[in-house]
Amino acid sequence: MQSFRTELENPIVEKDIIDLEKKIRAFREGKIHDEKFRSLRLARGVYGQRQPGVQMVRIKLPFGKVTFKQLLRIADISDEYGSSNLHLTTRQDIQIHYVSLDRTPQLWAELEQDEITLREACGNTVRNVTASATSGIDPLEPFDVSPYAHAVFEYFLRNPICQDMGRKFKISFSSSEADTSFSYIHDLGFIPKLKADGSRGFKVLLGGGLGAQPSLAHAVEEFLPEDELIPYIEAIIRVFDRNGERTNRNKARLKFLVQKIGLDELLNLAAIEKTANKFKFFNINRDVIAQPQPPLLIENALTAEELKNPLRYEQWLATNVFEQKQTDFYGVFVKVPVGDIPSNTARKLVAAISPYVADEIRITQNQGLMLKYARKASLPALYEALESIDLAAPGFDSVADVTTCPGTDTCNLGISNSMTLSKVLEDVIYNEYEQLIYNREIKIKISGCMNSCGQHGLAHIGFHGSSLKSGKAVLPSVQVLLGGGTVGNGVGRAADKVIKVPAKRATHVLRAVLDDYQANSIADENFHGYYDRFGKDYFYQLLKPLADLSTLTDDEFVDWGHVETFATAIGVGECAGVVIDLVATLLYETDEKLGWANEAYNESRWADAIYHSYNVMVSGAKALLLQKNINMSTQTGIIKEFDVNYVDTQEITLKSSFSELILQINQNEPSQEFATQYLAEATSFLDGIKAKREALV
């Protein structure tokens, strides 16, 4: 490993990468526990994959924005460090697979040369902030939400309040009431609102999530003024950090905290936390995300009449192109099969489109791309350029555009294949139901397991990987879900689990549902109306013959895309870090947190110093509780039990209860005076903890 001190201009980023390099070395030398190291690397976008000895690196691209230069940089990185492939995700990130752990610091350093980060792309952090791909050019939008999404990304990146939460935290911004960023499945989702006097604000949705137990978000604000956006998010995260579950990761999302304490109580706690916020109001720079320069007008451009396949062009024009709110310009969607772009194709893509569109690409929530500012006269030439690299398929975001996670190809949690199944289902649509490439209402989504990374929980027709047993043999299967999807303005539907069938019969499931829909839906009835009119049991009976295992063939014991007989092989998931219950490790971490507190204090970052000091006391208290084999699952539990087991028994002497000491954090403004006092108290507390620990051992 080498030093990156001379390569980067940003000292904060440089320090991050050097720290990762040191931690990898310490891990290799056995100085850091492997589970602690896992949480550390996850927060730096480095995720273990199904294949041993290699990593998936997730690149964090706020609201999916990437320039031509950045895309070329990522393609080069994938060639140098990975498998020469770029995988687009449903959270508008790009993933690179098969990366050596030891090379990740160098990889990160090279990405940062073009202002691309890995920081907090995984782990128990604020994940990538998503936004409608059309934001900024959407004819329906009240205003561009991109600057707001960017401000949220910047504010919470490296923010002490969200570096080691009990679980991940997801935020989205939709460009309009069409809710194309799915506010209803996020911890916090925002929909822009504009008052008659021009005041900007957001409708706020809270506590949504998919996973194995879907929960639809609650509407908690109809109009949150724009300057209260970041303080509001900060207060909610502070409550989640202190009160959220930390032991059982299956119950650790914000939606479970809402279920546990109630929505009203959570909002009351958030109101209390606002006192401690760094800002009471935060003005968003609306101009920070400027619209890119449109391309020059090309003389004598190719015309539609000169195209090799004018009928296919007309299909593409009808399904993949829309008029922007900017007069005389068009947005163009690019359908990317299973979200995979080989690095060489990415280079060809930039070369092909750069004469015809602006220098800004947006990754879409359904794993495609959106291009901006195409001129009408250039559309035939742009189509021909995309066609030359097999990226001009019509039917973007239609029934023929299936969303999928990587499944068993690379993910530890994958049960059955999703990538090949996605391609097979798309082939069924193109070959047997071509008219449905114009239908952008019905969505088909697939996940390799129940965790819904492919968003099957919000699909009209969804599948997730599973298994079935027939005699002594196990065969790949899919759980079929129906009836989910977006309604609008923050309202959504979670899909119903209907039936489980062998995976090789998923194509028959699709045909059965689509045939019935075409035969029995009534005029102007959407899929939701059709599904509700017949009801879940109707579809169970419709599909029940496909679940009959008495007619199995040998081929059905082999998963899609495989040649070997199916066997379940589920590893340990890494969607968030694992809790470490080692006293020595905790005290080591606590010392590190105290160092961060002092560093923030010396840089006059009072709010950060205060929160680091808070974490010093929580971590120190947890260490001593573990000494007595007491493991609390929340920070509030740690605070309470430390009083019961150490302060009330006078094993630790404090001037007040531990609760009164530590919870000064939400009763004081983040001033220099309070930061000075609180840091001194945290330092003294840690000294006491260490002394007690030494006495006990």
Side-chain angles (χ1 to χ4, degrees):
M1 296 183 184
Q2 67 182 82
S3 170
F4 310 102
R5 190 169 299 279
T6 59
E7 296 184 21
L8 299 172
E9 296 180 2
N10 188 325
I12 297 174
V13 173
E14 180 183 77
K15 182 179 176 182
D16 251 358
I17 297 173
I18 292 171
D19 182 59
L20 175 61
E21 176 194 17
K22 289 178 179 177
K23 293 291 172 49
I24 292 173
R25 185 179 293 116
F27 169 68
R28 294 296 194 201
E29 294 170 355
K31 297 177 181 178
I32 299 179
H33 191 280
D34 58 347
E35 291 185 344
K36 169 59 185 171
F37 179 70
R38 179 188 301 177
S39 65
L40 184 143
R41 63 172 165 76
L42 283 169
R44 286 147 182 84
V46 182
Y47 189 107
Q49 63 181 67
R50 196 177 189 91
Q51 295 74 14
V54 290
Q55 315 292 317
M56 177 270 282
V57 169
R58 182 177 293 149
I59 298 167
K60 194 172 189 177
L61 298 169
F63 51 95
K65 178 178 176 288
V66 62
T67 65
F68 295 162
K69 184 181 180 183
Q70 287 174 326
L71 190 64
L72 293 174
R73 169 72 70 174
I74 295 169
D76 289 345
I77 291 292
S78 185
D79 279 346
E80 175 65 24
Y81 298 94
S83 59
S84 297
N85 185 68
L86 283 60
H87 181 70
L88 313 180
T89 79
T90 56
R91 294 204 59 77
Q92 301 177 287
D93 295 309
I94 293 178
Q95 293 177 173
I96 296 173
H97 292 88
Y98 297 94
V99 177
S100 164
L101 174 64
D102 293 335
R103 301 189 75 194
T104 53
Q106 179 67 42
L107 179 155
W108 187 1
E110 292 186 23
L111 284 173
E112 286 284 359
Q113 291 174 17
D114 283 316
E115 300 181 335
I116 308 167
T117 192
L118 308 182
R119 179 78 193 221
E120 295 155 52
C122 307
N124 299 329
T125 60
V126 173
R127 295 292 186 85
N128 196 31
V129 179
T130 62
S132 299
T134 55
S135 56
I137 64 173
D138 188 345
L140 299 177
E141 69 183 19
F143 54 86
D144 184 5
V145 299
S146 304
Y148 302 87
H150 182 79
V152 171
F153 155 73
E154 276 199 329
Y155 187 83
F156 292 102
L157 190 72
R158 299 184 178 86
N159 193 312
I161 72 168
C162 52
Q163 294 307 295
D164 189 25
M165 297 184 291
R167 203 69 162 85
K168 57 192 173 186
F169 198 95
K170 296 181 177 180
I171 299 172
S172 78
F173 287 83
S174 285
S175 60
S176 74
E177 291 184 1
D179 202 7
T180 52
S181 198
F182 315 132
S183 67
Y184 57 93
I185 62 163
H186 284 77
D187 295 291
L188 281 172
F190 298 96
I191 299 173
K193 299 292 180 179
L194 196 63
K195 287 189 172 180
D197 63 1
S199 301
R200 293 183 177 187
F202 295 90
K203 181 175 182 176
V204 182
L205 285 298
L206 182 148
L210 289 177
Q213 301 178 57
S215 180
L216 300 178
H218 306 267
V220 290
E221 299 282 348
E222 288 299 322
F223 187 88
L224 179 73
E226 62 175 326
D227 60 359
E228 295 180 29
L229 172 70
I230 283 179
Y232 189 93
I233 298 172
E234 178 171 349
I236 296 295
I237 290 177
R238 283 173 174 267
V239 172
F240 177 57
D241 190 37
R242 185 166 300 126
N243 297 276
E245 170 69 31
R246 289 174 176 270
T247 301
N248 181 358
R249 64 186 298 276
N250 294 320
K251 294 288 185 180
R253 293 294 299 276
L254 183 67
K255 62 185 179 182
F256 295 112
L257 181 59
V258 173
Q259 292 172 13
K260 180 180 178 180
I261 67 174
L263 184 61
D264 289 343
E265 176 63 13
L266 187 144
L267 295 175
N268 288 338
L269 291 174
I272 293 170
E273 290 293 335
K274 288 181 180 179
T275 300
N277 277 357
K278 189 181 297 187
F279 299 97
K280 301 300 177 286
F281 301 95
F282 189 98
N283 292 320
I284 306 292
N285 180 357
R286 298 179 179 179
D287 301 319
V288 69
I289 305 297
Q291 287 298 319
Q293 286 294 315
L296 298 173
L297 181 63
I298 297 177
E299 299 292 338
N300 302 315
L302 187 72
T303 64
E305 291 73 19
E306 298 172 299
L307 292 172
K308 299 172 187 174
N309 191 339
L311 175 61
R312 195 70 163 174
Y313 169 70
E314 291 300 325
Q315 289 180 323
W316 175 83
L317 203 63
T319 60
N320 293 36
V321 179
F322 68 97
E323 289 189 57
Q324 297 182 190
K325 71 178 186 180
Q326 292 84 2
T327 305
D328 297 329
F329 289 105
Y330 293 79
V332 176
F333 290 113
V334 178
K335 184 178 178 298
V336 179
V338 300
D340 277 351
I341 305 180
S343 54
N344 196 41
T345 301
R347 294 187 192 89
K348 291 178 180 177
L349 173 69
V350 171
I353 66 176
S354 55
Y356 310 115
V357 297
D359 185 5
E360 183 188 308
I361 299 172
R362 296 281 181 103
I363 298 166
T364 66
Q365 277 84 350
N366 67 336
Q367 302 170 292
L369 300 172
M370 193 205 72
L371 315 177
K372 289 182 167 186
Y373 286 95
R375 297 178 185 273
K376 188 172 185 179
S378 298
L379 290 173
L382 177 58
Y383 168 79
E384 191 77 358
L386 290 169
E387 175 67 20
S388 70
I389 53 174
D390 295 323
L391 286 175
F396 177 87
D397 204 29
S398 71
V399 183
D401 195 356
V402 178
T403 303
T404 178
C405 71
T408 52
D409 283 17
T410 56
C411 179
N412 270 325
L413 293 177
I415 301 174
S416 62
N417 183 282
S418 51
M419 300 278 271
T420 304
L421 176 57
S422 171
K423 295 175 183 178
V424 170
L425 295 184
E426 288 189 359
D427 285 344
V428 169
I429 302 300
Y430 281 117
N431 294 324
E432 302 174 32
Y433 301 89
E434 189 175 14
Q435 74 279 10
L436 291 182
I437 67 171
Y438 300 103
N439 184 317
R440 297 185 68 176
E441 181 228 337
I442 301 173
K443 313 297 182 191
I444 303 174
K445 297 177 184 288
I446 308 172
S447 301
C449 72
M450 70 291 296
N451 285 316
S452 208
C453 294
Q455 299 178 337
H456 65 262
L458 59 80
H460 296 76
I461 304 172
F463 302 90
H464 81 63
S466 190
S467 61
L468 285 168
K469 194 169 184 180
S470 176
K472 294 183 179 180
V474 178
L475 67 150
S477 74
V478 289
Q479 173 69 56
V480 180
L481 302 97
L482 298 173
T486 303
V487 176
N489 197 27
V491 178
R493 297 166 50 123
D496 290 332
K497 290 184 177 181
V498 175
I499 198 168
K500 189 187 292 187
V501 303
K504 285 290 178 72
R505 300 180 185 179
T507 50
H508 302 304
V509 169
L510 181 61
R511 291 186 182 100
V513 173
L514 292 180
D515 288 347
D516 193 83
Y517 173 65
Q518 292 183 326
N520 295 317
S521 61
I522 58 181
D524 299 322
E525 183 178 47
N526 63 19
F527 191 89
H528 287 157
Y530 153 76
Y531 178 77
D532 292 344
R533 184 161 53 86
F534 284 96
K536 177 181 174 179
D537 186 64
Y538 172 86
F539 294 94
Y540 173 79
Q541 298 298 332
L542 175 70
L543 301 175
K544 186 177 180 180
L546 296 174
D548 181 4
L549 301 186
S550 66
T551 58
L552 287 170
T553 62
D554 290 344
D555 178 61
E556 290 179 298
F557 289 89
V558 179
D559 204 358
W560 290 106
H562 292 254
V563 294
E564 73 281 0
T565 301
F566 176 78
T568 54
I570 305 171
V572 178
E574 294 197 343
C575 293
V578 178
V579 176
I580 307 304
D581 291 341
L582 303 173
V583 176
T585 300
L586 269 173
L587 289 175
Y588 171 82
E589 288 181 47
T590 307
D591 275 329
E592 192 172 41
K593 290 171 181 175
L594 183 60
W596 297 337
N598 281 302
E599 181 181 290
Y601 183 85
N602 293 334
E603 294 173 359
S604 302
R605 293 186 284 116
W606 314 126
D608 291 355
I610 291 165
Y611 211 86
H612 284 310
S613 299
Y614 164 80
N615 279 324
V616 166
M617 290 190 272
V618 169
S619 187
K622 180 175 183 177
L624 274 197
L625 285 171
L626 288 174
Q627 192 71 45
K628 291 189 175 185
N629 294 316
I630 300 169
N631 182 20
M632 302 308 299
S633 63
T634 66
Q635 290 183 346
T636 50
I638 290 169
I639 294 167
K640 179 181 177 181
E641 288 301 315
F642 191 82
D643 269 330
V644 170
N645 288 276
Y646 282 101
V647 179
D648 294 350
T649 61
Q650 298 184 341
E651 289 186 57
I652 293 286
T653 303
L654 300 175
K655 294 179 181 179
S656 66
S657 69
F658 182 53
S659 175
E660 291 171 326
L661 168 65
I662 196 170
L663 292 182
Q664 293 177 88
I665 188 173
N666 61 17
Q667 298 164 10
N668 288 272
E669 301 279 344
S671 63
Q672 179 180 1
E673 180 183 4
F674 178 61
T676 304
Q677 170 204 322
Y678 201 60
L679 175 55
E681 289 170 336
T683 304
S684 176
F685 179 78
L686 181 56
D687 288 342
I689 292 292
K690 289 180 177 177
K692 182 64 176 178
R693 160 75 171 169
E694 289 175 8
L696 290 171
V697 298

